[in-house]
């Protein structure tokens, strides 16, 4: 995370000072987004005195749900253009005490948890409020008047169905939203199940945020990734250390959480997730009863996947070998960036090439080699941005 100069009073000034210091390259597109963020900083500062005029004023505003929210910002564009960096700078300068920054999936998991807890209270007779959304929104607004979401995306139908109602409540209570995304609002939840029920949220979002594009011609993430070891062998403490370094660089300080993906009445655990990156051991993916649909969903949810401790494979690990072949196919076809530590180079992983697995593993070897290259990242980065 970039340090903020002591004398900087705006995101634009921060960018300018870091450019002058040589820690950033001058980027007109980033500066334009910085100016939008500075408008929000100004508006938030202007709102503070009015909010403090009367101790009772906020109480009545809460009852009426009529406090005017500062208009937020929705920044979309391809990966690696600096959206996360700009969000970092803005969030740290935002002149409000109650603010929250989270990956969108993490936030929605929290929302669903609160809704479930409210329904349990209703079931136990602890509340008479049948609709959980207003009290959940009130609690969220009490905790934060500024919500910042990195990598805003909607892939889950449960999220899609609740967003319009939830944010109608949040915006009415004066909550300001700033978000980054790989897609413009019109393409959120594209081709999703019952998308017509989601469309009111898009209209609501566009009324409460400015929408702008960060279309810098330079992919700064690509520049970073080209210097990282993406396939480390043999397995050792040094390999673990290099994987940890790459993970820290990719996640860029985001909070790491354990989560899960719901799959038709069951769940696929994600032991380590941060933003659009996920990290697993080989055993967590390939020694478990997971199939193609599970791997496809992982590939859809995450742009970057880390796999630690890929062992030598052979007849004694036939099931694991089959799953590994399917896993690599899913990640490759979805243009996911792979980081891996393994017992051997790809061509040495399979100790005995017999039967169908031996034939199919030749494709896996080829794909593992391609996924290690900078060309794979450059060619497939745009494909991920369109997902």
């Amino acid at each position: 995370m970039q340090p903020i100069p002591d004398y900087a009073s705006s995101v634009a000034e921060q960018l300018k000072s870091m450019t002058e210091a040589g820690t950033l390259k001058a980027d007109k597109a980033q500066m334009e987004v910085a100016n939008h963020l500075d408008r929000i900083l100004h508006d938030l500062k202007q709102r503070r005195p009015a909010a403090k005029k009367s101790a009772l004023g906020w109480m009545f505003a809460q009852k009426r749900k009529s406090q005017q929210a500062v208009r937020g910002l929705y920044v979309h564009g391809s990966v690696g253009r600096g959206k996360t960096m700009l969000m970092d700078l803005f969030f740290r300068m935002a002149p409000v005490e109650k603010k929250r920054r989270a990956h969108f999936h993490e936030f929605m998991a929290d929302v669903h948890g609160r809704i479930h807890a409210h329904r349990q209270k209703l079931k136990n007779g602890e509340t008479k409020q049948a609709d959980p959304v207003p009290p959940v929104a009130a609690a969220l607004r009490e905790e934060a008047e500024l919500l910042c979401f990195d990598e805003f995306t909607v892939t889950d139908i449960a999220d899609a169905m609740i967003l319009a109602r939830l944010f109608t409540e949040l915006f009415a209570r004066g909550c300001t939203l700033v978000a980054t995304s790989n897609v413009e609002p019109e393409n959120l939840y594209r081709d999703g199940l019952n998308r017509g029920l989601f469309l009111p949220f898009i209209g609501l979002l566009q009324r409460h945020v400015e929408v702008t594009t960060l279309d810098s011609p330079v992919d700064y993430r690509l520049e970073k990734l080209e210097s990282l070891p993406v396939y480390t062998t043999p397995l050792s403490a040094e390999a673990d250390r290099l994987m940890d370094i790459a993970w820290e660089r990719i996640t860029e300080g985001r909070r790491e959480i354990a989560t899960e993906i719901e799959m038709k009445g069951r769940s696929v655990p994600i032991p380590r997730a941060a933003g659009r990156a996920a990290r697993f051991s080989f055993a967590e993916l390939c020694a478990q009863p997971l199939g193609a649909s599970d791997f496809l969903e992982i590939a859809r949810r995450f742009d970057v996947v880390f796999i630690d401790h890929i062992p030598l494979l052979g007849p004694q690990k036939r099931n694991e070998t089959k799953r590994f072949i399917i896993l690599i196919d899913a990640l490759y076809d979805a243009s996911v960036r792979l980081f891996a530590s393994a017992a051997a180079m790809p061509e040495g992983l399979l100790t005995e090439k017999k039967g169908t697995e031996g034939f199919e593993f030749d494709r896996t070897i080829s794909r593992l080699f391609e996924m290690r290259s900078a060309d794979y990242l450059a060619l497939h980065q745009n494909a991920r941005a369109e997902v």
Side-chain angles (χ1 to χ4, degrees), residues 221-222 225-226 337 373-382:
R221 186 176 297 181
L222 175 58
L225 294 186
E226 284 179 338
R337 189 60 174 172
S373 70
D375 286 344
Y376 175 84
L377 179 62
L379 289 172
H380 294 275
Q381 199 76 291
N382 286 337

Side-chain angles (χ1 to χ4, degrees), residues 54-70:
S54 168
L56 295 177
W58 169 240
M59 181 187 302
F60 294 127
Q62 279 285 75
K63 279 190 175 183
R64 295 190 305 268
K65 299 191 296 183
S66 60
Q67 188 188 36
Q68 184 64 38
V70 167

Side-chain angles (χ1 to χ4, degrees), residues 74-150:
Y74 182 102
V75 184
H76 64 90
S78 299
V79 296
R81 265 58 184 185
K83 298 188 297 294
T84 295
M85 175 199 67
L86 290 166
M87 179 76 87
D88 284 336
L89 298 177
F90 165 79
F91 183 77
R92 293 161 66 193
M93 294 192 73
V96 293
E97 294 180 5
K98 295 181 177 181
K99 54 186 176 179
R100 178 176 179 180
R101 172 157 181 207
H103 188 275
F104 184 67
H105 287 314
E106 174 192 342
F107 174 77
M108 290 308 297
D110 179 29
V111 169
H112 289 299
R114 292 174 189 241
I115 289 175
H116 175 74
H118 181 90
R119 286 173 174 159
Q120 288 299 114
K121 288 183 178 180
L122 180 64
K123 182 179 179 181
N124 297 335
E126 299 173 29
T127 180
K128 294 183 179 180
Q129 172 66 47
D131 185 356
V133 174
V136 166
L140 290 168
R141 171 58 185 85
E142 180 61 26
E143 295 167 10
E145 67 177 275
L146 171 66
L147 288 174
C148 293
F149 296 138
D150 204 15

Side-chain angles (χ1 to χ4, degrees), residues 279-337:
R279 188 169 181 178
F280 308 83
S281 69
F282 175 88
E284 288 166 339
L285 284 173
C286 299
Q288 303 300 319
L290 302 179
S293 60
D294 303 307
F295 297 144
L296 288 170
E297 189 62 21
I298 290 171
R300 190 170 72 90
R301 293 289 185 95
F302 298 100
D303 296 332
V304 185
V305 168
F306 281 64
I307 306 175
D308 291 290
H309 305 149
I310 301 171
L312 295 176
L313 302 170
Q316 75 282 9
K317 287 186 171 63
R318 187 180 180 190
N319 288 334
E320 290 93 330
T321 301
K322 286 183 176 179
R323 292 190 189 104
F324 185 63
I325 291 170
I326 296 170
L327 170 64
I328 296 303
D329 283 346
L331 298 180
Y332 178 89
D333 289 341
S335 306
V336 173
R337 189 60 174 172

